[in-house]
Amino acid sequence: TAYIDRAAIAEYIMFGNGFSTAAYFQTFKDAQGIPLDASTVGGYVLTFAKDQLPEAARFWSVTAYTPGSIELIPNPEDKYLVASYTPGLVTNDDGSVSIYIQPEAPTSAPAANWLPVPANGPFNIMLRVYGPEGTVAAGDYHPPAITASATPN
């Protein structure tokens, strides 16, 4: 069908950007090398130190996907990313930004900083940087590791 053809084309083109247009970083594992799966740890946190935020002329975004394809994680909130432009995104007192990667919205952390993932089963995380600058453009940028954490209350 036309829908499937368009989806296949969109998936192909998404990775067709040159490095000067967009940089992509993807992980299937946490800082300990364990596959991402909230059923084993409850949740994760990805904290960009103040000097580790991706430098972008346009924006950066963090998205969760199913591991076998580039499918967004379905969730009742219809929330599929946390980005530099997310309304209400909260910066920590030290200038860092923490993204809470977990099945349920945190009660003791900003909802804008929450990225929904499945309660059971594997997923992967992709960081996209549009209009890479600085260390991202130079190819020297290393995103922070995702760490397991207890789900914030």
Side-chain angles (χ1 to χ4, degrees):
T1 67
Y3 178 77
I4 293 172
D5 292 340
R6 283 192 307 251
I9 291 167
E11 183 175 337
Y12 174 77
I13 290 173
M14 178 171 57
F15 293 104
N17 286 325
F19 193 75
S20 64
T21 303
Y24 303 97
F25 303 89
Q26 187 172 31
T27 188
F28 292 77
K29 297 179 180 181
D30 69 12
Q32 302 301 313
I34 300 169
L36 297 170
D37 184 337
S39 67
T40 62
V41 298
Y44 298 90
V45 65
L46 170 60
T47 298
F48 294 95
K50 180 180 179 179
D51 63 351
Q52 198 176 26
L53 286 163
E55 295 173 81
R58 296 180 61 211
F59 65 91
W60 57 261
S61 67
V62 176
T63 309
Y65 291 100
T66 59
S69 64
I70 303 174
E71 269 183 48
L72 296 168
I73 301 294
N75 66 82
E77 301 293 324
D78 289 330
K79 184 173 184 187
Y80 301 103
L81 60 81
V82 174
S84 55
Y85 61 80
T86 297
L89 185 67
V90 175
T91 300
N92 300 319
D93 291 341
D94 64 0
S96 65
V97 173
S98 295
I99 299 173
Y100 301 92
I101 303 167
Q102 57 192 51
E104 301 294 326
T107 57
S108 66
N113 294 50
W114 169 52
L115 180 62
V117 294
N120 294 300
F123 62 91
N124 58 285
I125 296 293
M126 184 175 292
L127 167 65
R128 290 185 177 84
V129 183
Y130 291 96
E133 295 183 328
T135 59
V136 180
D140 297 326
Y141 180 76
H142 298 283
I146 295 170
T147 57
S149 69
T151 303
N153 294 321

